[in-house]
Amino acid sequence: MTPPLPTETGATSRHVQVDGTVVHVHEAGSGPTLLCIHGGAPGATGWANFGQNVATWARGFRVLVVDLPGFGESDWVEASDGKHRAHANLFVGLLDELGISGPVHVVALATGGAVAMRMAIDHPDRVARLVLVSSAGGLSLFDASPTEGERAIREYYSGTGPSLEKMRHYLALTVSDPALVTDELVEARHQNSITPQALEGSRHRGRPHPSDAVWQEAPSIRARTLIVWGRDNRVKGYDNGLFLLNRIPDSELHIYSGAGLWVPFERAARFERLVSDFLLTD
């Protein structure tokens, strides 16, 4: 049975048990599998990051939009061997639970990009092609760290705790046009940031594990890789994309002017065409 097209989020939503962990996933369309992994900023979910793109991609792909552990409706998972490796292993387990045994395409944003890179490094037979958008997992060549956007992420749960004002400030840093940050968007992301899963996850954000430095192993990535960035990204500058371009052997880089971190939202139609052409063209 072909999963429904996403006229509303409830039509595509399902929960899958993977080794005792609940993973929330939206599924739509049919064809080659396209796994979408969202970013790790407060209030992020799979649908919040990629929901606007699903209807287009579902015309040619079986689209799976996951919630990272501790985000949306997915359980938090322990990550003694590094969060990126734990999350990558969880999503490989999800594919197994769904009966998907071969390689899949992966589109990933921000923190999700580091998870996708870890999948491609640890499970090369499960990743066909890779699309990294404003990805974590690299190093900055130009900008001092932490950036303004990274400071906003770190400060969100500290001090007085989550608030609409903090969320509005952060979201304004993710886009080139601040008019895109509506009251409805701020409210929705804030509510996502204070769910039990999100609050549990916020309590476990400790020091990175050595395996989280995926850039060190990036030259071993065999998957053909498209790197996408917005020139106006104030969370992770496009110099991170240049770094990854130089580390991943079979890679290419596309930079959009007039866009920040959230390219799939700000340049939705052009981004969807770019990704589809990359995934379907030999």
Side-chain angles (χ1 to χ4, degrees):
M1 178 179 178
T2 300
L5 290 179
T7 54
E8 57 182 273
T9 58
T12 61
S13 175
R14 62 185 297 191
H15 298 81
V16 181
Q17 286 269 354
V18 181
D19 295 329
T21 298
V22 173
V23 179
H24 182 232
V25 58
H26 291 277
E27 181 175 357
S30 60
T33 301
L34 174 57
L35 176 68
C36 301
I37 308 175
H38 68 86
T45 67
W47 194 265
N49 278 184
F50 292 109
Q52 67 280 339
N53 311 119
V54 172
T56 295
W57 288 336
R59 298 185 188 118
F61 298 94
R62 180 185 180 183
V63 183
L64 304 175
V65 181
V66 293
D67 285 346
L68 282 167
F71 290 81
E73 298 177 30
S74 288
D75 289 346
W76 177 255
V77 295
E78 294 296 329
S80 59
D81 198 23
K83 66 177 182 179
H84 300 327
R85 175 164 283 147
H87 298 175
N89 290 340
L90 183 69
F91 293 145
V92 169
L94 171 69
L95 296 176
D96 291 340
E97 287 293 329
L98 295 176
I100 302 169
S101 58
V104 304
H105 301 310
V106 184
V107 177
L109 175 71
T111 297
V115 176
M117 289 171 65
R118 178 49 68 190
M119 281 185 67
I121 294 164
D122 290 355
H123 308 277
D125 58 325
R126 304 307 297 271
V127 179
R129 293 191 183 182
L130 190 58
V131 181
L132 304 174
V133 189
S134 305
S135 181
L139 293 177
S140 174
L141 300 174
F142 309 146
D143 295 332
S145 181
T147 64
E148 184 180 9
E150 289 170 334
R151 289 196 301 272
I153 293 172
R154 295 178 186 182
E155 294 167 1
Y156 185 78
Y157 286 105
S158 64
T160 57
S163 69
L164 290 170
E165 291 74 21
K166 285 185 178 181
M167 181 58 73
R168 185 179 299 277
H169 172 65
Y170 168 69
L171 290 175
L173 297 174
T174 68
V175 294
S176 180
D177 180 4
L180 296 173
V181 181
T182 63
D183 291 344
E184 292 78 12
L185 176 60
V186 173
E187 175 65 26
R189 285 290 294 262
H190 176 254
Q191 289 301 318
N192 287 339
S193 76
I194 57 175
T195 63
Q197 295 95 325
L199 293 174
E200 177 68 14
S202 73
R203 289 190 284 269
H204 292 275
R205 303 187 198 284
R207 296 176 63 86
H209 187 275
S211 70
D212 291 334
V214 290
W215 63 269
Q216 295 179 339
E217 299 172 73
S220 70
I221 293 176
R222 300 203 309 255
R224 185 180 298 180
T225 303
L226 171 65
I227 303 164
V228 181
W229 233 269
R231 190 183 63 190
D232 303 332
N233 191 329
R234 289 184 284 171
V235 181
K236 284 192 176 295
Y238 68 82
D239 54 320
N240 287 265
L242 294 171
F243 178 87
L244 291 174
L245 177 70
N246 201 42
R247 295 288 292 176
I248 300 174
D250 189 1
S251 63
E252 57 192 82
L253 172 65
H254 190 104
I255 300 176
Y256 287 93
S257 62
L261 178 141
W262 202 359
V263 175
F265 177 58
E266 296 181 89
R267 292 288 180 269
R270 292 170 60 188
F271 173 72
E272 290 156 10
R273 289 194 298 271
L274 176 71
V275 170
S276 296
D277 288 346
F278 172 75
L279 297 180
L280 295 174
T281 303
D282 292 333

Short mmCIF file of all heavy atoms in Angstrom, two decimals, residues 37-40 49 108-115 133-137 236 261:
data_model
loop_
_atom_site.label_atom_id
_atom_site.label_comp_id
_atom_site.label_asym_id
_atom_site.label_seq_id
_atom_site.Cartn_x
_atom_site.Cartn_y
_atom_site.Cartn_z
N ILE A 37 16.78 13.77 7.91
CA ILE A 37 17.18 13.90 9.32
C ILE A 37 17.33 15.39 9.65
O ILE A 37 18.12 16.09 9.02
CB ILE A 37 18.50 13.18 9.60
CG1 ILE A 37 18.44 11.72 9.10
CG2 ILE A 37 18.82 13.20 11.09
CD1 ILE A 37 19.76 10.98 9.23
N HIS A 38 16.61 15.84 10.65
CA HIS A 38 16.55 17.27 10.95
C HIS A 38 17.70 17.73 11.83
O HIS A 38 18.54 16.94 12.29
CB HIS A 38 15.21 17.61 11.61
CG HIS A 38 15.04 17.04 12.99
ND1 HIS A 38 15.50 17.67 14.12
CD2 HIS A 38 14.44 15.90 13.42
CE1 HIS A 38 15.19 16.95 15.19
NE2 HIS A 38 14.55 15.86 14.79
N GLY A 39 17.73 19.03 12.12
CA GLY A 39 18.76 19.63 12.94
C GLY A 39 18.47 19.50 14.43
O GLY A 39 17.37 19.13 14.84
N GLY A 40 19.47 19.85 15.25
CA GLY A 40 19.36 19.63 16.69
C GLY A 40 19.12 20.88 17.50
O GLY A 40 19.38 20.87 18.72
N ASN A 49 11.39 20.90 10.07
CA ASN A 49 12.49 21.23 9.16
C ASN A 49 12.21 20.89 7.71
O ASN A 49 12.64 21.61 6.81
CB ASN A 49 13.77 20.52 9.60
CG ASN A 49 14.51 21.22 10.73
OD1 ASN A 49 15.59 20.78 11.13
ND2 ASN A 49 13.97 22.29 11.26
N ALA A 108 20.03 15.64 5.07
CA ALA A 108 20.15 15.95 6.49
C ALA A 108 20.55 17.41 6.69
O ALA A 108 21.36 17.95 5.94
CB ALA A 108 21.18 15.03 7.14
N LEU A 109 19.98 18.01 7.73
CA LEU A 109 20.19 19.42 8.04
C LEU A 109 20.93 19.58 9.36
O LEU A 109 20.61 18.92 10.35
CB LEU A 109 18.82 20.13 8.14
CG LEU A 109 18.80 21.59 8.56
CD1 LEU A 109 19.36 22.48 7.46
CD2 LEU A 109 17.38 22.04 8.92
N ALA A 110 21.93 20.46 9.38
CA ALA A 110 22.62 20.86 10.61
C ALA A 110 23.12 19.63 11.38
O ALA A 110 23.87 18.82 10.84
CB ALA A 110 21.71 21.75 11.45
N THR A 111 22.70 19.45 12.65
CA THR A 111 23.14 18.30 13.43
C THR A 111 22.83 16.99 12.72
O THR A 111 23.61 16.03 12.78
CB THR A 111 22.46 18.30 14.81
OG1 THR A 111 22.88 19.46 15.53
CG2 THR A 111 22.82 17.06 15.62
N GLY A 112 21.70 16.94 12.02
CA GLY A 112 21.37 15.75 11.26
C GLY A 112 22.42 15.39 10.23
O GLY A 112 22.60 14.21 9.90
N GLY A 113 23.14 16.40 9.72
CA GLY A 113 24.20 16.14 8.76
C GLY A 113 25.33 15.33 9.36
O GLY A 113 25.89 14.43 8.71
N ALA A 114 25.68 15.64 10.60
CA ALA A 114 26.73 14.86 11.27
C ALA A 114 26.28 13.42 11.50
O ALA A 114 27.07 12.48 11.38
CB ALA A 114 27.12 15.52 12.59
N VAL A 115 25.00 13.23 11.84
CA VAL A 115 24.45 11.89 11.99
C VAL A 115 24.51 11.14 10.66
O VAL A 115 24.90 9.97 10.59
CB VAL A 115 23.01 11.94 12.52
CG1 VAL A 115 22.40 10.54 12.58
CG2 VAL A 115 22.95 12.61 13.89
N VAL A 133 22.98 19.67 4.40
CA VAL A 133 22.50 21.05 4.34
C VAL A 133 22.92 21.77 5.62
O VAL A 133 22.53 21.35 6.72
CB VAL A 133 20.97 21.10 4.18
CG1 VAL A 133 20.51 22.53 3.91
CG2 VAL A 133 20.50 20.16 3.07
N SER A 134 23.70 22.84 5.48
CA SER A 134 24.14 23.61 6.66
C SER A 134 24.65 22.65 7.74
O SER A 134 24.34 22.79 8.92
CB SER A 134 22.98 24.45 7.21
OG SER A 134 22.43 25.27 6.22
N SER A 135 25.46 21.70 7.34
CA SER A 135 25.74 20.53 8.16
C SER A 135 26.71 20.80 9.30
O SER A 135 27.70 21.53 9.15
CB SER A 135 26.30 19.42 7.28
OG SER A 135 26.56 18.26 8.02
N ALA A 136 26.44 20.15 10.43
CA ALA A 136 27.44 20.00 11.47
C ALA A 136 28.42 18.93 11.00
O ALA A 136 28.23 18.29 9.97
CB ALA A 136 26.78 19.59 12.78
N GLY A 137 29.47 18.73 11.78
CA GLY A 137 30.42 17.67 11.46
C GLY A 137 31.68 18.14 10.79
O GLY A 137 32.59 17.34 10.55
N LYS A 236 26.12 28.46 11.16
CA LYS A 236 27.34 27.84 10.64
C LYS A 236 27.61 28.46 9.27
O LYS A 236 26.86 28.23 8.32
CB LYS A 236 27.18 26.33 10.52
CG LYS A 236 27.28 25.60 11.85
CD LYS A 236 27.41 24.11 11.66
CE LYS A 236 27.61 23.41 13.01
NZ LYS A 236 28.87 23.78 13.64
N LEU A 261 20.58 29.38 7.37
CA LEU A 261 20.72 27.96 7.68
C LEU A 261 19.60 27.13 7.08
O LEU A 261 19.81 26.02 6.61
CB LEU A 261 20.75 27.79 9.21
CG LEU A 261 20.85 26.35 9.73
CD1 LEU A 261 21.76 26.28 10.94
CD2 LEU A 261 19.47 25.79 10.11
#
